[in-house]
Amino acid sequence: MVICRSVHWTRIRAMAAIGIAAILPLESAYADVYPVRNKGATKVQVIEQRHMPETLNGALGGPGHVVAKFSDLIQKAIAYKTAHPSETVEIRSATFRMAMNVYVGFNPANPSTYLDVSNTDFAGADSEKLLWSYCKAAQAGVKVQMIIHEKSESNVSLAAITNYLDANGGPNLSYRIVGWGEGSDEQMHNKFLLINKTRTGTTEQHSVVYTATANFDEWRAYGPVSSHNWHQSGVVLNQNSALYGAYQKYFDSALWPHAQNSNPNAFRTAMQNLHSAPGGLNYAEDADGISAYFYPYFASNVWTTSGNPVAKIMNIINTGANVTAPYVKMNQAYLRFSNGNWSEFGTHFMTDIREMALQHGLNLASPSTSNVKFVVMDADNGSSDFSPLASSNVHLNKKTHAKNFQFALTIGGTPHYYSLSGSTNAKHNDFMLKANNMIVIHEVGAAAKEVYLDFGDMFTYMFSQ
């Protein structure tokens, strides 16, 4: 279990009613590390980062848990290499934006600063620059490969970041900068970390996959800069070597060979070949209920059940036998309905939502019908695109950077729960053109829905904002 001083926002509100909240640190409302959930052999943990004030009484270091988890896992890779110097320990990292001045509290023995983030060193020996975490791992003998999109923070040049890596990384660190172009369609948009072996105390784990919604954005003394002070989430999975292998194949066979190309054409061709080859590239649902999707994926449109898990689950809801009680939740940064060049995600999604209402006798226009609830930061069109959903169940222009979906349904009397996250926004180009990934956790049975409830807790927070 990760040591964390954070507590649930709902718990704080409940305690406030009886006068207990005043004794808790105020910042404890702004992040959460949920318990490790055992899904068969796979261990799953959800990480959350909530909205923060610009400052907190002049304090340094705010709870940036989703970003800090990258460094936290890197420390555990170093610990494994230190304990087993003859073994090969590997880190693979891909991120859309890399800021220079992001410092992380990495030491769980100091709970007052652990998983905090600031724009300066704030905890002495217990905090360090996130870029240094990668360099420190390489200096400790860990093989580190980094893919960074050319986006960097506004007041620091990309050259400053690469100069830092050149000066401090050493021979075990290699990086590649993606410069495919300036448009949204040309982005390496992933935010994930792969580590083959980690150690926490005397506990050792393998096949760590961490996928997040957060970039390494600029930070202020206490919280993210105003323009990036968003709701974020991350999911850590380990002990699943097949899932790890799928992510490693994506990294090694498509991203790494083509990261330095002047445009994404060769990368997209490689992705098409990998998806078309026997066995494909996407990771089919395993016995633990875990699956993964890698983008771009090539099909006639974005709404394909083979490459889009949202479309796949909506198809089960609308055409599957003995399906009842469907529920859909979306916490999404960017949702698109209109584009002159292709059919958009939002149009397909709402068509299936309307079909769901027809098939299952739901009056979505009624505020009391809670089967569909959306939180969206940026939708290209107005609320009319969400018709017939009641306006009280569609919360637009909210400060979320999540890319999360939840589905609940009953098949033949057995409850099924799906939780989806990753770097993929609800847009055609995020699925069909950009480099992205998505994790799906499928839980079966009412007693097994722990991850679904963790995602539900995050959704409830954002829906209340």
Side-chain angles (χ1 to χ4, degrees):
M1 180 72 66
V2 171
I3 301 171
C4 182
R5 57 199 161 87
S6 302
V7 296
H8 289 171
W9 177 255
T10 50
R11 197 178 306 153
I12 287 179
R13 287 188 300 192
M15 289 188 288
I18 56 175
I20 297 177
I23 66 173
L24 294 171
L26 180 59
E27 64 184 72
S28 62
Y30 305 131
D32 216 334
V33 176
Y34 292 85
V36 174
R37 310 301 189 182
N38 296 314
K39 299 296 149 186
T42 306
K43 296 183 181 298
V44 180
Q45 186 172 41
V46 176
I47 316 292
E48 181 182 20
Q49 184 176 306
R50 299 183 172 183
H51 301 143
M52 287 178 269
E54 297 297 332
T55 62
L56 187 67
N57 301 323
L60 296 177
H65 289 21
V66 171
V67 172
K69 194 63 182 176
F70 284 88
S71 178
D72 183 55
L73 292 169
I74 291 170
Q75 311 302 324
K76 293 172 182 176
I78 295 170
Y80 188 95
K81 182 64 176 177
T82 302
H84 305 279
S86 65
E87 294 190 32
T88 299
V89 181
E90 299 175 331
I91 291 174
R92 293 170 172 85
S93 175
T95 182
F96 172 63
R97 180 178 281 110
M98 178 67 74
M100 171 68 79
N101 296 314
V102 172
Y103 291 78
V104 173
F106 64 86
N107 187 359
N110 186 350
S112 66
T113 61
Y114 179 51
L115 298 182
D116 277 2
V117 179
S118 185
N119 63 352
T120 188
D121 210 355
F122 60 94
D126 292 330
S127 65
E128 66 187 26
K129 188 190 292 281
L130 180 54
L131 272 180
W132 168 245
S133 297
Y134 287 94
C135 295
K136 183 171 73 171
Q139 291 191 13
V142 178
K143 179 184 177 182
V144 178
Q145 293 175 277
M146 303 174 68
I147 297 175
I148 306 168
H149 190 84
E150 63 182 354
K151 297 289 186 182
S152 62
E153 61 187 40
S154 60
N155 61 343
V156 175
S157 69
L158 183 64
I161 293 170
T162 58
N163 288 343
Y164 183 91
L165 294 173
D166 291 339
N168 297 285
N172 289 320
L173 185 146
S174 54
Y175 64 85
R176 294 185 175 176
I177 305 299
V178 179
W180 291 338
E182 296 297 323
S184 173
D185 298 350
E186 299 165 313
Q187 292 174 354
M188 198 299 299
H189 195 247
N190 288 292
K191 314 99 169 47
F192 69 78
L193 182 71
L194 310 179
I195 305 178
N196 65 331
K197 298 173 183 178
T198 64
R199 181 181 176 94
T200 305
T202 59
T203 301
E204 297 181 346
Q205 296 179 326
H206 65 83
S207 307
V208 177
V209 174
Y210 179 45
T211 186
T213 70
N215 303 303
F216 297 171
D217 292 316
E218 295 176 67
W219 210 267
R220 293 189 177 183
Y222 184 76
V225 295
S226 299
S227 60
H228 295 93
N229 192 355
W230 296 320
H231 189 231
Q232 307 277 14
S233 67
V235 184
V236 185
L237 304 96
N238 59 67
Q239 311 303 101
N240 189 324
S241 57
L243 173 69
Y244 181 88
Y247 268 87
Q248 181 179 337
K249 182 179 180 180
Y250 176 49
F251 188 100
D252 289 352
S253 299
L255 289 171
W256 189 256
H258 301 293
Q260 293 176 299
N261 293 352
S262 59
N263 64 62
N265 293 340
F267 164 70
R268 290 172 181 160
T269 298
M271 287 294 292
Q272 188 169 16
N273 292 337
L274 288 166
H275 281 303
S276 300
L281 181 61
N282 290 340
Y283 180 69
E285 184 175 318
D286 60 25
D288 297 344
I290 311 299
S291 55
Y293 295 78
F294 305 101
Y295 301 108
Y297 185 87
F298 299 89
S300 58
N301 63 61
V302 70
W303 211 246
T304 167
T305 57
S306 59
N308 182 340
V310 179
K312 179 178 180 179
I313 298 167
M314 289 303 303
N315 186 62
I316 294 171
I317 289 173
N318 289 337
T319 67
N322 301 315
V323 173
T324 59
Y327 288 82
V328 181
K329 296 177 183 177
M330 177 176 65
N331 179 8
Q332 181 61 237
Y334 299 99
L335 173 67
R336 294 291 177 262
F337 287 94
S338 299
N339 188 290
N341 297 317
W342 49 63
S343 57
E344 264 297 354
F345 184 102
T347 300
H348 290 286
F349 193 26
M350 283 308 302
T351 296
D352 273 18
I353 292 293
R354 296 182 191 105
E355 180 65 19
M356 183 183 86
L358 180 66
Q359 292 292 332
H360 297 278
L362 303 173
N363 179 13
L364 297 180
S366 170
S368 63
T369 301
S370 61
N371 297 69
V372 180
K373 290 184 175 182
F374 292 162
V375 175
V376 181
M377 179 173 72
D378 185 332
D380 55 337
N381 288 344
S383 59
S384 61
D385 284 317
F386 296 94
S387 177
L389 295 180
S391 59
S392 59
N393 286 329
V394 180
H395 291 188
L396 302 177
N397 304 314
K398 299 300 180 181
K399 296 178 67 175
T400 180
H401 196 247
K403 298 92 170 58
N404 300 344
F405 295 85
Q406 289 184 269
F407 300 88
L409 58 145
T410 299
I411 303 177
T414 301
H416 291 252
Y417 306 93
Y418 296 87
S419 304
L420 287 63
S421 192
S423 64
T424 313
N425 291 303
K427 303 190 297 180
H428 171 281
N429 61 0
D430 273 54
F431 286 80
M432 310 289 275
L433 296 172
K434 295 160 67 168
N436 275 310
N437 75 96
M438 185 177 286
I439 281 280
V440 181
I441 299 114
H442 177 200
E443 299 166 292
V444 180
K449 59 179 180 179
E450 300 156 309
V451 174
Y452 180 84
L453 291 177
D454 294 341
F455 273 84
D457 191 59
M458 292 193 293
F459 180 86
T460 298
Y461 162 77
M462 266 312 302
F463 197 77
S464 68
Q465 297 304 294

Short mmCIF file of all heavy atoms in Angstrom, two decimals, residues 360-386:
data_model
loop_
_atom_site.label_atom_id
_atom_site.label_comp_id
_atom_site.label_asym_id
_atom_site.label_seq_id
_atom_site.Cartn_x
_atom_site.Cartn_y
_atom_site.Cartn_z
N HIS A 360 -33.66 0.45 -24.15
CA HIS A 360 -33.83 0.14 -22.73
C HIS A 360 -34.89 0.99 -22.05
O HIS A 360 -34.99 1.00 -20.82
CB HIS A 360 -32.48 0.29 -22.02
CG HIS A 360 -31.44 -0.67 -22.53
ND1 HIS A 360 -31.36 -1.97 -22.09
CD2 HIS A 360 -30.46 -0.51 -23.45
CE1 HIS A 360 -30.36 -2.58 -22.71
NE2 HIS A 360 -29.80 -1.72 -23.55
N GLY A 361 -35.69 1.70 -22.84
CA GLY A 361 -36.82 2.44 -22.30
C GLY A 361 -36.43 3.54 -21.34
O GLY A 361 -37.06 3.70 -20.28
N LEU A 362 -35.42 4.33 -21.69
CA LEU A 362 -34.93 5.39 -20.81
C LEU A 362 -35.41 6.75 -21.29
O LEU A 362 -35.29 7.07 -22.48
CB LEU A 362 -33.41 5.37 -20.76
CG LEU A 362 -32.74 4.07 -20.31
CD1 LEU A 362 -31.24 4.16 -20.48
CD2 LEU A 362 -33.11 3.72 -18.89
N ASN A 363 -35.90 7.54 -20.39
CA ASN A 363 -36.27 8.92 -20.70
C ASN A 363 -35.10 9.82 -20.31
O ASN A 363 -35.04 10.35 -19.20
CB ASN A 363 -37.54 9.33 -19.95
CG ASN A 363 -37.93 10.78 -20.23
OD1 ASN A 363 -37.40 11.41 -21.15
ND2 ASN A 363 -38.83 11.31 -19.41
N LEU A 364 -34.17 9.98 -21.21
CA LEU A 364 -32.95 10.72 -20.91
C LEU A 364 -33.21 12.20 -20.71
O LEU A 364 -32.37 12.91 -20.13
CB LEU A 364 -31.92 10.52 -22.01
CG LEU A 364 -31.43 9.09 -22.22
CD1 LEU A 364 -30.41 9.04 -23.35
CD2 LEU A 364 -30.83 8.52 -20.94
N ALA A 365 -34.34 12.70 -21.17
CA ALA A 365 -34.66 14.12 -21.00
C ALA A 365 -35.07 14.46 -19.58
O ALA A 365 -35.09 15.63 -19.19
CB ALA A 365 -35.77 14.53 -21.97
N SER A 366 -35.37 13.44 -18.79
CA SER A 366 -35.78 13.67 -17.41
C SER A 366 -34.56 13.84 -16.51
O SER A 366 -33.66 12.99 -16.52
CB SER A 366 -36.62 12.50 -16.89
OG SER A 366 -36.83 12.61 -15.50
N PRO A 367 -34.50 14.92 -15.73
CA PRO A 367 -33.37 15.11 -14.82
C PRO A 367 -33.22 13.98 -13.81
O PRO A 367 -32.12 13.77 -13.27
CB PRO A 367 -33.70 16.43 -14.11
CG PRO A 367 -34.63 17.14 -15.04
CD PRO A 367 -35.44 16.05 -15.70
N SER A 368 -34.28 13.25 -13.55
CA SER A 368 -34.21 12.16 -12.58
C SER A 368 -33.61 10.89 -13.17
O SER A 368 -33.32 9.94 -12.43
CB SER A 368 -35.61 11.86 -12.02
OG SER A 368 -36.48 11.42 -13.05
N THR A 369 -33.40 10.85 -14.48
CA THR A 369 -32.79 9.69 -15.12
C THR A 369 -31.28 9.85 -15.09
O THR A 369 -30.72 10.74 -15.74
CB THR A 369 -33.27 9.55 -16.58
OG1 THR A 369 -34.69 9.41 -16.60
CG2 THR A 369 -32.64 8.32 -17.23
N SER A 370 -30.61 9.01 -14.32
CA SER A 370 -29.17 9.18 -14.09
C SER A 370 -28.33 8.19 -14.88
O SER A 370 -27.14 8.04 -14.61
CB SER A 370 -28.86 9.02 -12.60
OG SER A 370 -29.24 7.73 -12.14
N ASN A 371 -28.90 7.54 -15.88
CA ASN A 371 -28.16 6.51 -16.63
C ASN A 371 -27.02 7.07 -17.46
O ASN A 371 -26.08 6.34 -17.79
CB ASN A 371 -29.11 5.73 -17.53
CG ASN A 371 -30.18 4.98 -16.76
OD1 ASN A 371 -31.07 5.60 -16.18
ND2 ASN A 371 -30.09 3.66 -16.74
N VAL A 372 -27.10 8.34 -17.84
CA VAL A 372 -26.05 8.97 -18.63
C VAL A 372 -25.68 10.29 -17.98
O VAL A 372 -26.55 11.15 -17.78
CB VAL A 372 -26.49 9.21 -20.09
CG1 VAL A 372 -25.35 9.86 -20.89
CG2 VAL A 372 -26.92 7.90 -20.75
N LYS A 373 -24.38 10.45 -17.67
CA LYS A 373 -23.88 11.69 -17.10
C LYS A 373 -22.54 12.03 -17.73
O LYS A 373 -21.67 11.15 -17.83
CB LYS A 373 -23.72 11.59 -15.57
CG LYS A 373 -25.04 11.51 -14.81
CD LYS A 373 -24.79 11.52 -13.31
CE LYS A 373 -26.09 11.58 -12.53
NZ LYS A 373 -25.85 11.65 -11.06
N PHE A 374 -22.39 13.28 -18.14
CA PHE A 374 -21.17 13.72 -18.80
C PHE A 374 -20.57 14.92 -18.09
O PHE A 374 -21.29 15.82 -17.65
CB PHE A 374 -21.45 14.14 -20.25
CG PHE A 374 -21.85 13.03 -21.18
CD1 PHE A 374 -22.48 13.32 -22.39
CD2 PHE A 374 -21.60 11.70 -20.88
CE1 PHE A 374 -22.84 12.32 -23.27
CE2 PHE A 374 -21.96 10.68 -21.75
CZ PHE A 374 -22.58 10.99 -22.96
N VAL A 375 -19.23 14.94 -18.02
CA VAL A 375 -18.46 16.12 -17.64
C VAL A 375 -17.47 16.37 -18.78
O VAL A 375 -16.70 15.47 -19.14
CB VAL A 375 -17.70 15.93 -16.32
CG1 VAL A 375 -16.82 17.13 -16.03
CG2 VAL A 375 -18.67 15.70 -15.17
N VAL A 376 -17.48 17.58 -19.34
CA VAL A 376 -16.64 17.89 -20.50
C VAL A 376 -16.02 19.27 -20.31
O VAL A 376 -16.70 20.21 -19.91
CB VAL A 376 -17.44 17.86 -21.81
CG1 VAL A 376 -16.54 18.16 -23.00
CG2 VAL A 376 -18.15 16.52 -21.99
N MET A 377 -14.73 19.39 -20.61
CA MET A 377 -14.09 20.69 -20.58
C MET A 377 -14.34 21.46 -21.87
O MET A 377 -14.74 22.61 -21.86
CB MET A 377 -12.58 20.57 -20.35
CG MET A 377 -11.86 21.92 -20.33
SD MET A 377 -10.12 21.85 -19.87
CE MET A 377 -9.39 21.09 -21.33
N ASP A 378 -14.13 20.82 -23.01
CA ASP A 378 -14.15 21.52 -24.29
C ASP A 378 -14.91 20.69 -25.31
O ASP A 378 -14.41 19.68 -25.81
CB ASP A 378 -12.70 21.75 -24.77
CG ASP A 378 -12.62 22.59 -26.05
OD1 ASP A 378 -13.57 22.55 -26.83
OD2 ASP A 378 -11.59 23.25 -26.25
N ALA A 379 -16.13 21.09 -25.59
CA ALA A 379 -16.93 20.49 -26.66
C ALA A 379 -17.08 21.53 -27.76
O ALA A 379 -17.35 22.70 -27.48
CB ALA A 379 -18.31 20.07 -26.15
N ASP A 380 -16.90 21.12 -29.01
CA ASP A 380 -16.83 22.10 -30.09
C ASP A 380 -18.16 22.77 -30.38
O ASP A 380 -18.19 23.89 -30.88
CB ASP A 380 -16.26 21.47 -31.37
CG ASP A 380 -17.03 20.24 -31.82
OD1 ASP A 380 -17.69 19.62 -30.97
OD2 ASP A 380 -16.96 19.89 -33.00
N ASN A 381 -19.26 22.11 -30.10
CA ASN A 381 -20.57 22.69 -30.37
C ASN A 381 -21.33 22.91 -29.08
O ASN A 381 -20.83 22.68 -27.98
CB ASN A 381 -21.36 21.80 -31.32
CG ASN A 381 -20.80 21.85 -32.74
OD1 ASN A 381 -20.04 22.74 -33.08
ND2 ASN A 381 -21.18 20.89 -33.55
N GLY A 382 -22.57 23.35 -29.20
CA GLY A 382 -23.36 23.69 -28.03
C GLY A 382 -24.07 22.50 -27.42
O GLY A 382 -23.92 21.35 -27.85
N SER A 383 -24.87 22.80 -26.43
CA SER A 383 -25.56 21.74 -25.68
C SER A 383 -26.58 20.99 -26.53
O SER A 383 -26.99 19.89 -26.16
CB SER A 383 -26.25 22.35 -24.46
OG SER A 383 -27.18 23.35 -24.85
N SER A 384 -26.98 21.54 -27.67
CA SER A 384 -27.95 20.86 -28.52
C SER A 384 -27.43 19.52 -29.02
O SER A 384 -28.21 18.61 -29.33
CB SER A 384 -28.33 21.75 -29.71
OG SER A 384 -27.19 22.04 -30.50
N ASP A 385 -26.10 19.38 -29.12
CA ASP A 385 -25.53 18.12 -29.57
C ASP A 385 -25.79 16.99 -28.59
O ASP A 385 -25.69 15.81 -28.95
CB ASP A 385 -24.02 18.27 -29.77
CG ASP A 385 -23.67 19.01 -31.04
OD1 ASP A 385 -24.29 18.74 -32.07
OD2 ASP A 385 -22.79 19.89 -30.98
N PHE A 386 -26.10 17.32 -27.34
CA PHE A 386 -26.32 16.31 -26.32
C PHE A 386 -27.80 15.94 -26.17
O PHE A 386 -28.15 15.16 -25.29
CB PHE A 386 -25.77 16.80 -24.98
CG PHE A 386 -24.29 17.01 -24.98
CD1 PHE A 386 -23.74 18.25 -25.23
CD2 PHE A 386 -23.44 15.95 -24.73
CE1 PHE A 386 -22.37 18.45 -25.23
CE2 PHE A 386 -22.06 16.13 -24.73
CZ PHE A 386 -21.52 17.38 -24.98
#
